[in-house]
């Protein structure tokens, strides 16, 4: 690392990963721990990345970080920026991606932000250090930071961390460490553990006692498939009024409020006429959106994960949800089927919808509702839709990954009837 310029430089923007961007005569420098408007002095830089020495004049949106672990724990990247400004930045990221797609007009986005202490899903690492268990998130490119406070987690999950440390310390099957994923279901916390030893009957006894004592009905061991180590009560969750039994490690939207914002935007985007033709839902998971959609029309719900599909199928009796197993990247739903639907609803993984997009373009469904967790993939997937004549009717931005660079959005696209006729 070279010595930095001694005079102050100004941070003009945030990069896509949440690091500040300072403009210098030599070019842009990315500096973590800075916000737009900061006047800063660098300790060092290598031409593209700099290390902050100190802030000379704070930007208007700089605030004290609410968590003492900020800057050490890897869970939050932008805690020194006011939440309203952070939502504005995330909204701008989504709008910028849509502008790159080339839509003639971009509707004013509806923007929502969840509250702190609402996260109900977390992946943690644990390590033995002497006679202690360190349980938390990895510092940026580093070791586990013991999570002794957290402004993100639901209080029920955070309260579980202290007894979890004692549990993990007592397990003979835990040698150096492992990982643990926790979902806060309606039935209570659901644990999926990876450990570096093989659990025996004694480990299972300890886990069962822990589950009973702390209201944890299921503790599972990571594997293909996961193995249930302790089951002390029924495991369940509700999507709308439908009770499902999620598999260990099931995908949940990280915050209840975030899920509600997404669901409301999806339902608002449904066409008002023609729903008798049904809805095709892609990447349905365990039914986060499926049962709400089924209140409006028959839903053909496609999911590639067998465990999630089994959960959805078990819960779909008596509803208008028709689940089907399909690896949508290797075997996308074909254009001829998509063309018959009144609407396509898709919530693809971070990488986007892949091969499925070409079939959607060819099928020309009248309405597409795209739920995205990645503005880059959103831009890539929407570009061929814009070329096919789709117009952008509404945009909703949801910040449910507080103090991070991650952002969710819901885009509603429609194809004018003239374009549909011309492409037949």
């Amino acid at each position: 690392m070279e010595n930095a310029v001694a005079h102050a430089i100004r941070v003009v923007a945030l990069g896509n990963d949440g690091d500040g961007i300072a403009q210098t005569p030599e070019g842009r420098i990315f500096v973590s721990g800075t916000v737009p408007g900061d006047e800063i002095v660098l300790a060092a830089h290598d031409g593209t990345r700099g290390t902050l020495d100190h802030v000379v004049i704070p930007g208007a949106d700089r605030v004290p970080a609410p968590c003492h672990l900020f800057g050490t724990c890897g869970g939050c990247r932008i805690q020194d920026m006011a939440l309203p400004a952070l939502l504005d930045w995330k909204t701008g990221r989504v709008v910028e991606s849509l502008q790159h797609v080339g839509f003639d007009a971009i509707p004013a986005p509806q923007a929502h932000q969840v509250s702190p202490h609402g996260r109900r899903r977390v992946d943690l690492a644990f390590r033995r250090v002497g006679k202690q268990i360190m349980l938390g998130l990895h510092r940026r490119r580093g070791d586990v930071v013991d999570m002794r406070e957290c402004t993100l987690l639901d209080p029920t999950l955070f309260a579980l961390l202290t007894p979890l440390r004692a549990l993990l310390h007592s397990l003979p099957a835990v040698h150096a460490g492992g990982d643990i994923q926790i979902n806060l279901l309606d039935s209570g916390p659901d644990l999926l553990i990876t450990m570096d030893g093989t659990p025996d009957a004694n480990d299972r006894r300890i886990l069962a006692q822990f589950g009973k004592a702390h209201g944890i009905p299921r503790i599972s061991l990571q594997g293909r498939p996961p193995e249930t180590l302790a089951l002390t009560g029924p495991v369940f969750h509700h999507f709308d009024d439908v009770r499902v039994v999620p598999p260990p490690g099931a995908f949940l939207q990280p915050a209840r409020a975030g899920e509600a914002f997404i669901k409301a935007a999806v339902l608002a985007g449904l066409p008002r006429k023609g729903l008798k033709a049904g809805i095709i839902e892609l990447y349905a998971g365990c039914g986060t959106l499926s049962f709400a959609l089924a209140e409006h029309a028959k839903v053909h719900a496609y999911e590639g994960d067998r465990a999630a599909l089994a959960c959805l199928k078990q819960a779909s009796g008596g509803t208008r949800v028709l689940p089907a197993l399909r690896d949508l990247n290797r075997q996308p739903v074909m254009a001829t089927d998509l063309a018959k639907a009144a609407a396509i609803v898709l919530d693809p993984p971070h990488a986007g919808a892949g091969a499925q997009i070409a079939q959607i373009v060819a099928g020309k469904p009248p309405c597409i509702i795209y739920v995205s967790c990645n503005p880059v993939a959103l831009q890539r997937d929407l570009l061929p839709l814009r070329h096919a004549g789709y117009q952008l009717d509404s945009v909703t931005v949801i910040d449910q990954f507080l103090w991070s660079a991650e952002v969710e959005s819901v885009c509603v696209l429609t194809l004018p009837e003239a374009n549909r006729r011309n492409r037949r």
Side-chain angles (χ1 to χ4, degrees), residues 290-365:
S290 310
F291 301 108
L293 291 170
E295 293 295 319
H296 299 267
K298 178 174 60 179
V299 179
H300 293 273
Y302 293 91
E303 171 55 43
D305 181 83
R306 290 183 180 274
L309 191 279
C311 167
L312 180 59
K313 194 171 184 178
Q314 184 182 39
S316 62
T319 74
R320 291 194 287 180
V321 176
L322 304 173
L325 181 67
R326 186 76 71 96
D327 183 331
L328 294 171
N329 199 42
R330 296 186 179 184
Q331 189 185 9
V333 178
M334 301 306 289
T336 51
D337 294 320
L338 296 167
K340 300 172 186 176
I344 309 299
V345 177
L346 66 160
D347 185 1
H350 192 267
Q356 185 63 70
I357 288 295
Q359 294 300 320
I360 294 175
V361 170
K364 308 182 294 293

Side-chain angles (χ1 to χ4, degrees), residues 68-138:
H68 292 95
L69 294 178
F70 175 66
T72 303
C73 169
C76 296
R77 295 287 298 278
I78 323 175
Q79 273 208 344
D80 43 9
M81 186 172 178
L83 284 176
L86 186 57
L87 179 60
D88 288 343
W89 173 68
K90 293 188 180 188
T91 302
R93 285 193 64 201
V94 174
V95 170
E96 183 178 12
S97 292
L98 296 173
Q99 289 171 338
H100 285 311
V101 173
F103 287 109
D104 293 334
I106 299 175
Q110 296 289 321
H112 306 281
Q113 192 171 54
V114 303
S115 300
H117 302 291
R119 181 135 187 175
R120 58 177 177 174
R121 170 170 66 92
V122 66
D123 296 315
L124 302 173
F126 58 91
R127 298 289 181 269
R128 284 195 187 274
V129 179
K131 296 183 178 181
Q132 294 184 332
I133 288 286
M134 308 290 283
L135 175 64
L137 299 169
H138 287 276

